[in-house]
Amino acid sequence: MWARPRALTGVLAVLLALASAPLASGAASSVVVPRGRVLLARVSADWAWRAQLSVRTRVQVCMAGSWFDSLAGKVLGNQGDPGGAAADGKAAAGAAMASMQAQVEEALAAEDFDGYTLRQLLVDKWGQSYDVELAVTQVLSSQFVYLQIFPWEISRKPFRHSDERAYLEHLQAVAELLVEWGQCATVKQQIRETDKEPRRTTNPISTVPLRLNLPKELVRSFKQSRDEA
């Protein structure tokens, strides 16, 4: 067993404190360590997953890619670690970063998203103000909510809305649900990437289904509200 120098013991104390201390959401804390090194720990909006990790893994997640990697491995006895804890920590960190990125993308997509925005997405993609509707569809044993793009445009009959105002009010109601459900980014992406097109000349008509990523409880609640309407 090798002896730990006093400075190394101090670094170990800082590492353990950084890994286990509760930090406020969005906050930043600075800790002075021997030889004037300063650690700046910035915490994202959701770090609750850190409580489920071991001390060793939390240290590696916080300091991954820095000069502390080799030092933390020696101090915490990482030589005998089969790598499971480190792998779990990297997986958790990757999931957290993906979640943060998705939240940022959704916030940007939802900014000023309304019925006019939804209409412009349709016009930019297909050149028409097509009608849309939210529908629950059974796929095998599961149910999903789809935003269906119908080949009914405001400039041609039949058209189920009485006038342009009624059409825009319908789009606004749909847009508000997409914002509430956090689905603006996925709708924009699917419209942008799809190669399908609504067609009324086929039998039956061809729609463009955009699947929403909603939890099962929300799907059931939406279906129940539609059934009762």
Side-chain angles (χ1 to χ4, degrees), residues 79-113:
Q79 294 91 333
D81 182 19
D88 291 344
K90 290 182 180 179
M97 289 299 295
S99 176
M100 290 167 54
Q101 181 178 358
Q103 292 177 30
V104 171
E105 291 176 353
E106 176 58 31
L108 293 174
E111 185 176 3
D112 299 327
F113 190 89

mmCIF file of all heavy atoms in Angstrom, residues 79-113:
data_model
loop_
_atom_site.group_PDB
_atom_site.id
_atom_site.type_symbol
_atom_site.label_atom_id
_atom_site.label_comp_id
_atom_site.label_asym_id
_atom_site.label_seq_id
_atom_site.Cartn_x
_atom_site.Cartn_y
_atom_site.Cartn_z
ATOM 1 N N GLN A 79 -7.433 0.609 -10.081
ATOM 2 C CA GLN A 79 -6.726 -0.415 -10.822
ATOM 3 C C GLN A 79 -7.465 -1.738 -10.806
ATOM 4 O O GLN A 79 -7.458 -2.476 -11.773
ATOM 5 C CB GLN A 79 -5.322 -0.617 -10.223
ATOM 6 C CG GLN A 79 -4.418 0.604 -10.385
ATOM 7 C CD GLN A 79 -4.516 1.544 -9.201
ATOM 8 O OE1 GLN A 79 -5.556 1.566 -8.542
ATOM 9 N NE2 GLN A 79 -3.460 2.290 -8.942
ATOM 10 N N GLY A 80 -8.108 -2.056 -9.687
ATOM 11 C CA GLY A 80 -8.797 -3.334 -9.580
ATOM 12 C C GLY A 80 -10.234 -3.287 -10.029
ATOM 13 O O GLY A 80 -10.942 -4.285 -9.946
ATOM 14 N N ASP A 81 -10.694 -2.128 -10.505
ATOM 15 C CA ASP A 81 -12.091 -1.967 -10.909
ATOM 16 C C ASP A 81 -12.292 -2.595 -12.283
ATOM 17 O O ASP A 81 -11.580 -2.279 -13.229
ATOM 18 C CB ASP A 81 -12.446 -0.477 -10.962
ATOM 19 C CG ASP A 81 -13.914 -0.271 -11.328
ATOM 20 O OD1 ASP A 81 -14.707 -1.222 -11.184
ATOM 21 O OD2 ASP A 81 -14.242 0.834 -11.741
ATOM 22 N N PRO A 82 -13.246 -3.513 -12.463
ATOM 23 C CA PRO A 82 -13.462 -4.137 -13.768
ATOM 24 C C PRO A 82 -14.009 -3.188 -14.807
ATOM 25 O O PRO A 82 -14.171 -3.551 -15.961
ATOM 26 C CB PRO A 82 -14.471 -5.247 -13.452
ATOM 27 C CG PRO A 82 -15.201 -4.771 -12.239
ATOM 28 C CD PRO A 82 -14.163 -4.027 -11.430
ATOM 29 N N GLY A 83 -14.348 -1.982 -14.410
ATOM 30 C CA GLY A 83 -14.834 -1.004 -15.380
ATOM 31 C C GLY A 83 -16.334 -0.844 -15.371
ATOM 32 O O GLY A 83 -16.855 -0.007 -16.091
ATOM 33 N N GLY A 84 -17.032 -1.648 -14.569
ATOM 34 C CA GLY A 84 -18.494 -1.557 -14.560
ATOM 35 C C GLY A 84 -18.987 -0.226 -14.055
ATOM 36 O O GLY A 84 -19.886 0.384 -14.639
ATOM 37 N N ALA A 85 -18.394 0.258 -12.943
ATOM 38 C CA ALA A 85 -18.840 1.529 -12.370
ATOM 39 C C ALA A 85 -18.563 2.678 -13.322
ATOM 40 O O ALA A 85 -19.396 3.567 -13.521
ATOM 41 C CB ALA A 85 -18.147 1.768 -11.023
ATOM 42 N N ALA A 86 -17.356 2.672 -13.937
ATOM 43 C CA ALA A 86 -17.020 3.743 -14.874
ATOM 44 C C ALA A 86 -17.948 3.712 -16.080
ATOM 45 O O ALA A 86 -18.384 4.746 -16.574
ATOM 46 C CB ALA A 86 -15.562 3.601 -15.315
ATOM 47 N N ALA A 87 -18.240 2.501 -16.580
ATOM 48 C CA ALA A 87 -19.134 2.391 -17.730
ATOM 49 C C ALA A 87 -20.529 2.893 -17.398
ATOM 50 O O ALA A 87 -21.158 3.578 -18.201
ATOM 51 C CB ALA A 87 -19.193 0.934 -18.204
ATOM 52 N N ASP A 88 -21.012 2.543 -16.190
ATOM 53 C CA ASP A 88 -22.326 3.025 -15.765
ATOM 54 C C ASP A 88 -22.339 4.541 -15.682
ATOM 55 O O ASP A 88 -23.321 5.186 -16.055
ATOM 56 C CB ASP A 88 -22.697 2.422 -14.405
ATOM 57 C CG ASP A 88 -22.970 0.933 -14.497
ATOM 58 O OD1 ASP A 88 -23.165 0.440 -15.627
ATOM 59 O OD2 ASP A 88 -22.973 0.258 -13.457
ATOM 60 N N GLY A 89 -21.239 5.100 -15.148
ATOM 61 C CA GLY A 89 -21.173 6.556 -15.029
ATOM 62 C C GLY A 89 -21.175 7.242 -16.367
ATOM 63 O O GLY A 89 -21.854 8.247 -16.561
ATOM 64 N N LYS A 90 -20.427 6.697 -17.328
ATOM 65 C CA LYS A 90 -20.399 7.293 -18.666
ATOM 66 C C LYS A 90 -21.762 7.174 -19.354
ATOM 67 O O LYS A 90 -22.192 8.093 -20.047
ATOM 68 C CB LYS A 90 -19.324 6.612 -19.506
ATOM 69 C CG LYS A 90 -17.907 6.928 -19.059
ATOM 70 C CD LYS A 90 -16.878 6.254 -19.951
ATOM 71 C CE LYS A 90 -15.460 6.579 -19.505
ATOM 72 N NZ LYS A 90 -14.437 5.916 -20.355
ATOM 73 N N ALA A 91 -22.420 6.033 -19.148
ATOM 74 C CA ALA A 91 -23.746 5.857 -19.748
ATOM 75 C C ALA A 91 -24.737 6.847 -19.165
ATOM 76 O O ALA A 91 -25.553 7.437 -19.878
ATOM 77 C CB ALA A 91 -24.228 4.425 -19.528
ATOM 78 N N ALA A 92 -24.678 7.024 -17.823
ATOM 79 C CA ALA A 92 -25.582 7.978 -17.169
ATOM 80 C C ALA A 92 -25.294 9.395 -17.626
ATOM 81 O O ALA A 92 -26.210 10.186 -17.863
ATOM 82 C CB ALA A 92 -25.445 7.868 -15.647
ATOM 83 N N ALA A 93 -23.992 9.738 -17.756
ATOM 84 C CA ALA A 93 -23.630 11.073 -18.214
ATOM 85 C C ALA A 93 -24.109 11.299 -19.640
ATOM 86 O O ALA A 93 -24.615 12.369 -19.980
ATOM 87 C CB ALA A 93 -22.113 11.258 -18.123
ATOM 88 N N GLY A 94 -23.959 10.277 -20.496
ATOM 89 C CA GLY A 94 -24.421 10.398 -21.877
ATOM 90 C C GLY A 94 -25.920 10.582 -21.965
ATOM 91 O O GLY A 94 -26.412 11.397 -22.749
ATOM 92 N N ALA A 95 -26.660 9.837 -21.130
ATOM 93 C CA ALA A 95 -28.120 9.968 -21.118
ATOM 94 C C ALA A 95 -28.536 11.349 -20.640
ATOM 95 O O ALA A 95 -29.481 11.949 -21.165
ATOM 96 C CB ALA A 95 -28.730 8.885 -20.231
ATOM 97 N N ALA A 96 -27.822 11.848 -19.616
ATOM 98 C CA ALA A 96 -28.149 13.180 -19.092
ATOM 99 C C ALA A 96 -27.886 14.255 -20.138
ATOM 100 O O ALA A 96 -28.683 15.177 -20.314
ATOM 101 C CB ALA A 96 -27.336 13.457 -17.826
ATOM 102 N N MET A 97 -26.769 14.149 -20.860
ATOM 103 C CA MET A 97 -26.455 15.129 -21.888
ATOM 104 C C MET A 97 -27.468 15.076 -23.035
ATOM 105 O O MET A 97 -27.880 16.114 -23.557
ATOM 106 C CB MET A 97 -25.051 14.865 -22.422
ATOM 107 C CG MET A 97 -23.940 15.204 -21.442
ATOM 108 S SD MET A 97 -23.941 16.957 -20.995
ATOM 109 C CE MET A 97 -23.535 17.692 -22.571
ATOM 110 N N ALA A 98 -27.879 13.861 -23.417
ATOM 111 C CA ALA A 98 -28.876 13.728 -24.478
ATOM 112 C C ALA A 98 -30.200 14.348 -24.059
ATOM 113 O O ALA A 98 -30.875 15.008 -24.855
ATOM 114 C CB ALA A 98 -29.062 12.262 -24.829
ATOM 115 N N SER A 99 -30.575 14.131 -22.789
ATOM 116 C CA SER A 99 -31.814 14.712 -22.281
ATOM 117 C C SER A 99 -31.743 16.232 -22.268
ATOM 118 O O SER A 99 -32.713 16.918 -22.638
ATOM 119 C CB SER A 99 -32.094 14.181 -20.867
ATOM 120 O OG SER A 99 -33.239 14.787 -20.314
ATOM 121 N N MET A 100 -30.605 16.771 -21.835
ATOM 122 C CA MET A 100 -30.429 18.223 -21.817
ATOM 123 C C MET A 100 -30.519 18.802 -23.221
ATOM 124 O O MET A 100 -31.161 19.819 -23.454
ATOM 125 C CB MET A 100 -29.091 18.573 -21.177
ATOM 126 C CG MET A 100 -29.006 18.308 -19.689
ATOM 127 S SD MET A 100 -27.296 18.391 -19.102
ATOM 128 C CE MET A 100 -26.828 20.011 -19.710
ATOM 129 N N GLN A 101 -29.865 18.135 -24.184
ATOM 130 C CA GLN A 101 -29.883 18.614 -25.561
ATOM 131 C C GLN A 101 -31.298 18.602 -26.128
ATOM 132 O O GLN A 101 -31.714 19.543 -26.818
ATOM 133 C CB GLN A 101 -28.961 17.759 -26.427
ATOM 134 C CG GLN A 101 -28.899 18.215 -27.879
ATOM 135 C CD GLN A 101 -27.946 17.380 -28.712
ATOM 136 O OE1 GLN A 101 -27.294 16.480 -28.189
ATOM 137 N NE2 GLN A 101 -27.862 17.664 -29.995
ATOM 138 N N ALA A 102 -32.053 17.538 -25.829
ATOM 139 C CA ALA A 102 -33.433 17.452 -26.304
ATOM 140 C C ALA A 102 -34.288 18.564 -25.706
ATOM 141 O O ALA A 102 -35.142 19.148 -26.386
ATOM 142 C CB ALA A 102 -34.017 16.086 -25.959
ATOM 143 N N GLN A 103 -34.064 18.867 -24.430
ATOM 144 C CA GLN A 103 -34.825 19.932 -23.782
ATOM 145 C C GLN A 103 -34.512 21.291 -24.396
ATOM 146 O O GLN A 103 -35.405 22.129 -24.589
ATOM 147 C CB GLN A 103 -34.522 19.945 -22.285
ATOM 148 C CG GLN A 103 -35.045 18.733 -21.532
ATOM 149 C CD GLN A 103 -34.664 18.745 -20.066
ATOM 150 O OE1 GLN A 103 -34.512 19.800 -19.459
ATOM 151 N NE2 GLN A 103 -34.497 17.578 -19.481
ATOM 152 N N VAL A 104 -33.238 21.523 -24.711
ATOM 153 C CA VAL A 104 -32.857 22.789 -25.339
ATOM 154 C C VAL A 104 -33.483 22.905 -26.732
ATOM 155 O O VAL A 104 -34.031 23.947 -27.097
ATOM 156 C CB VAL A 104 -31.321 22.900 -25.425
ATOM 157 C CG1 VAL A 104 -30.913 24.100 -26.280
ATOM 158 C CG2 VAL A 104 -30.717 23.021 -24.032
ATOM 159 N N GLU A 105 -33.411 21.827 -27.508
ATOM 160 C CA GLU A 105 -33.977 21.839 -28.852
ATOM 161 C C GLU A 105 -35.485 22.073 -28.815
ATOM 162 O O GLU A 105 -36.030 22.797 -29.647
ATOM 163 C CB GLU A 105 -33.662 20.521 -29.564
ATOM 164 C CG GLU A 105 -32.183 20.340 -29.898
ATOM 165 C CD GLU A 105 -31.885 18.986 -30.504
ATOM 166 O OE1 GLU A 105 -32.818 18.142 -30.532
ATOM 167 O OE2 GLU A 105 -30.753 18.765 -30.946
ATOM 168 N N GLU A 106 -36.161 21.452 -27.848
ATOM 169 C CA GLU A 106 -37.608 21.636 -27.733
ATOM 170 C C GLU A 106 -37.941 23.070 -27.338
ATOM 171 O O GLU A 106 -38.899 23.662 -27.856
ATOM 172 C CB GLU A 106 -38.184 20.658 -26.719
ATOM 173 C CG GLU A 106 -39.676 20.824 -26.450
ATOM 174 C CD GLU A 106 -40.528 20.682 -27.700
ATOM 175 O OE1 GLU A 106 -40.137 19.930 -28.622
ATOM 176 O OE2 GLU A 106 -41.596 21.328 -27.758
ATOM 177 N N ALA A 107 -37.165 23.642 -26.422
ATOM 178 C CA ALA A 107 -37.415 25.026 -26.000
ATOM 179 C C ALA A 107 -37.263 25.979 -27.175
ATOM 180 O O ALA A 107 -38.061 26.919 -27.338
ATOM 181 C CB ALA A 107 -36.460 25.402 -24.865
ATOM 182 N N LEU A 108 -36.262 25.765 -28.008
ATOM 183 C CA LEU A 108 -36.065 26.616 -29.175
ATOM 184 C C LEU A 108 -37.185 26.424 -30.193
ATOM 185 O O LEU A 108 -37.669 27.381 -30.792
ATOM 186 C CB LEU A 108 -34.716 26.301 -29.823
ATOM 187 C CG LEU A 108 -33.466 26.653 -29.000
ATOM 188 C CD1 LEU A 108 -32.213 26.163 -29.704
ATOM 189 C CD2 LEU A 108 -33.394 28.154 -28.751
ATOM 190 N N ALA A 109 -37.608 25.156 -30.393
ATOM 191 C CA ALA A 109 -38.670 24.874 -31.369
ATOM 192 C C ALA A 109 -40.015 25.428 -30.912
ATOM 193 O O ALA A 109 -40.843 25.825 -31.740
ATOM 194 C CB ALA A 109 -38.774 23.369 -31.603
ATOM 195 N N ALA A 110 -40.244 25.446 -29.603
ATOM 196 C CA ALA A 110 -41.537 25.873 -29.075
ATOM 197 C C ALA A 110 -41.661 27.385 -28.976
ATOM 198 O O ALA A 110 -42.765 27.903 -28.779
ATOM 199 C CB ALA A 110 -41.775 25.255 -27.697
ATOM 200 N N GLU A 111 -40.539 28.089 -29.122
ATOM 201 C CA GLU A 111 -40.581 29.548 -28.998
ATOM 202 C C GLU A 111 -41.441 30.147 -30.115
ATOM 203 O O GLU A 111 -41.176 29.946 -31.298
ATOM 204 C CB GLU A 111 -39.164 30.117 -29.058
ATOM 205 C CG GLU A 111 -39.103 31.611 -28.809
ATOM 206 C CD GLU A 111 -37.671 32.123 -28.782
ATOM 207 O OE1 GLU A 111 -36.750 31.326 -29.018
ATOM 208 O OE2 GLU A 111 -37.495 33.320 -28.510
ATOM 209 N N ASP A 112 -42.484 30.871 -29.728
ATOM 210 C CA ASP A 112 -43.403 31.524 -30.676
ATOM 211 C C ASP A 112 -44.113 30.522 -31.591
ATOM 212 O O ASP A 112 -44.558 30.883 -32.681
ATOM 213 C CB ASP A 112 -42.659 32.554 -31.532
ATOM 214 C CG ASP A 112 -42.050 33.666 -30.698
ATOM 215 O OD1 ASP A 112 -42.648 34.018 -29.665
ATOM 216 O OD2 ASP A 112 -40.973 34.164 -31.057
ATOM 217 N N PHE A 113 -44.206 29.253 -31.161
ATOM 218 C CA PHE A 113 -44.896 28.257 -31.987
ATOM 219 C C PHE A 113 -46.403 28.417 -31.801
ATOM 220 O O PHE A 113 -46.931 28.317 -30.698
ATOM 221 C CB PHE A 113 -44.462 26.845 -31.567
ATOM 222 C CG PHE A 113 -44.922 25.762 -32.500
ATOM 223 C CD1 PHE A 113 -44.145 25.380 -33.588
ATOM 224 C CD2 PHE A 113 -46.145 25.123 -32.307
ATOM 225 C CE1 PHE A 113 -44.566 24.381 -34.450
ATOM 226 C CE2 PHE A 113 -46.573 24.127 -33.163
ATOM 227 C CZ PHE A 113 -45.781 23.747 -34.239
#
